[in-house]
Amino acid sequence: MNIVIECSSPHESQYYSDDLPDPEFDIYNAALTATNNTDQLTNSAIPVPRSNETVPVLEPPVIPSSSIASTAENSAETSRTEARTESYIQEPNADLVGSTGNSDSWKYETISNIIKFCSEKKIEDPIEILKIAQDKIIKGRKLELESESGTIEGATNFILVDRENLLETAFVEIKEIVDLRNTLEVQFYEENAVDLGGPLREFFTLVLRQIQEHYFDPVREYSDNYEIVGKILALSMLQSGPLPRVLSASLVEEVFNNSSPRAFVHDLRRGLDALCLYELACHLPTFIHLFTPRDRQKITLKLLTSTIKPQFSPEGSNRRQKESKIYAKYVKYLREAASGRRGDVTLAKILRFCTGSEEEPPLGYQIQPTMEFVERQSFLPTGNTCINKMQLTIPVNEEPTEDALFNFFDFAFCNSYFGLQ
């Protein structure tokens, strides 16, 4: 019996063309307008005194200090952001361009274009910024299939990694990559799946988990691997892997806002900036939110069944009756897994079996995950993570018992290997 778990282009970016005004604020006038909108002072409102009259003394309007401070703070922050953006566009960061000059010159041009575009279009949503960055930075083959019948071609960075020694083999392979902008193509030792997106998502899911355990829980300041760690975090973010929410809040602050970081943090910055992400976050601060820690997305029964949509035959057909019956048993199995009664099987693992990832990618699925019902001898579920499809068997002749069927499910969903024979 075969478990075939095969693999999975980024979403098209949609931009909007709103003009970005560039106002200069007069703090006093802004506060005056906010506090005295209905009592304007004009020349016509000042009476001309007669010779024997005393000129009335006009008291200046009372402006709350809090209004002045708030307006000043907002104006100053706007000016600082604009100044950072303008200064970057005019003069490249020496670390970013690199001491050799031309080898990394693409970074300056690319990051300048992203910063300028987002500033002009008033784009602040970090996910929208990520879409733009992915479109501008990643090159070569598309990241994943756009349809079940399609194919993808183009340059890739091929890496060969060992599931049993994932971090070490991943570090060795990625250190050898000359141009990180090309799409990664992943193959695991002794597995035959062709990576069209699925194994790549699986790789990032597994390697980010191990990076968190080995390098951030707790931090190992003495390690010299943080630059390559930063490169993997950047790759995952830009190539449809999970968001790299592996840093503590205090470490996120040190990475992006500390002028005198520790040595390992400086290495981490250089790794992120291999694909421009550190510099991008410094100039578009909302982008930092994609690094802030939060609890992993909880996969519930409702979320899983609404994500992997069954493709039923027409109502009233004999086949539909068989499909509904096997699907009902699958849902019962999901309830047992959700309650912890199926050993190591979790709902997140079932989602990974179908899509290669234990959570929805930050930019969404290119192909909606589905469940297909097939007639065959084996009742072992199969998954094709390239097209996000799971297959369940409907009985041709004799139907297995519920216990036997659930054992098939257990074996499949605990399987970690593509193309297991």
Side-chain angles (χ1 to χ4, degrees), residues 88-327:
Y88 182 83
I89 293 173
Q90 292 177 356
E91 183 178 350
N93 183 310
D95 288 338
L96 185 61
V97 175
S99 58
T100 58
N102 294 328
S103 62
D104 287 339
S105 60
W106 67 268
K107 295 180 183 178
Y108 170 59
E109 181 179 357
T110 300
I111 197 69
S112 297
N113 289 337
I114 296 172
I115 293 170
K116 184 176 180 180
F117 184 89
C118 292
S119 298
E120 289 177 347
K121 305 305 178 185
K122 302 172 65 174
I123 297 173
E124 297 183 351
D125 183 341
I127 295 297
E128 288 297 316
I129 297 173
L130 178 59
K131 287 182 182 180
I132 297 165
Q134 185 186 78
D135 181 66
K136 300 291 186 183
I137 297 172
I138 300 304
K139 66 176 188 176
R141 194 190 72 181
K142 291 184 176 181
L143 291 171
E144 53 188 313
L145 291 170
E146 297 178 340
S147 66
E148 292 188 18
S149 59
T151 186
I152 48 178
E153 297 179 351
T156 63
N157 288 322
F158 177 78
I159 63 173
L160 192 62
V161 294
D162 183 4
R163 287 182 184 272
E164 304 303 321
N165 193 14
L166 187 60
L167 275 183
E168 182 176 342
T169 53
F171 285 0
V172 170
E173 292 284 276
I174 291 176
K175 283 179 181 179
E176 296 299 317
I177 296 176
V178 175
D179 190 349
L180 288 172
R181 290 175 292 172
N182 285 327
T183 297
L184 274 185
E185 181 181 354
V186 178
Q187 184 172 332
F188 295 96
Y189 288 5
E190 298 182 355
E191 298 180 30
N192 299 321
V194 176
D195 181 11
L196 298 177
L200 178 61
R201 289 195 296 268
E202 171 89 354
F203 166 73
F204 283 133
T205 297
L206 298 176
V207 78
L208 257 62
R209 181 180 301 153
Q210 292 194 25
I211 282 175
Q212 182 169 14
E213 293 173 356
H214 289 82
Y215 289 93
F216 297 105
D217 291 336
V219 166
R220 297 183 179 183
E221 294 191 37
Y222 58 84
S223 174
D224 59 359
N225 286 327
Y226 279 95
E227 183 171 346
I228 190 66
V229 165
K231 289 180 179 180
I232 293 176
L233 301 188
L235 283 167
S236 181
M237 178 173 281
L238 289 172
Q239 297 203 16
S240 299
L243 292 176
R245 299 184 184 275
V246 298
L247 285 67
S248 65
S250 60
L251 190 53
V252 170
E253 177 71 16
E254 184 174 357
V255 169
F256 295 105
N257 294 313
N258 193 318
S259 60
S260 301
R262 288 171 285 178
F264 84 94
V265 175
H266 180 73
D267 290 343
L268 188 60
R269 284 181 178 178
R270 292 191 65 85
L272 291 171
D273 233 11
L275 286 167
C276 306
L277 294 194
Y278 168 71
E279 201 71 28
L280 185 63
C282 288
H283 290 85
L284 300 173
T286 58
F287 192 69
I288 297 174
H289 292 307
L290 299 184
F291 293 88
T292 55
R294 70 176 187 184
D295 293 336
R296 186 182 298 273
Q297 180 187 27
K298 182 176 176 59
I299 306 300
T300 63
L301 177 65
K302 180 179 180 180
L303 177 60
L304 185 61
T305 53
S306 62
T307 299
I308 306 175
K309 298 182 181 298
Q311 297 177 318
F312 290 115
S313 298
E315 286 279 2
S317 64
N318 290 335
R319 185 181 176 89
R320 172 60 181 267
Q321 294 178 10
K322 294 180 180 179
E323 292 169 351
S324 296
K325 189 173 182 180
I326 198 71
Y327 187 73

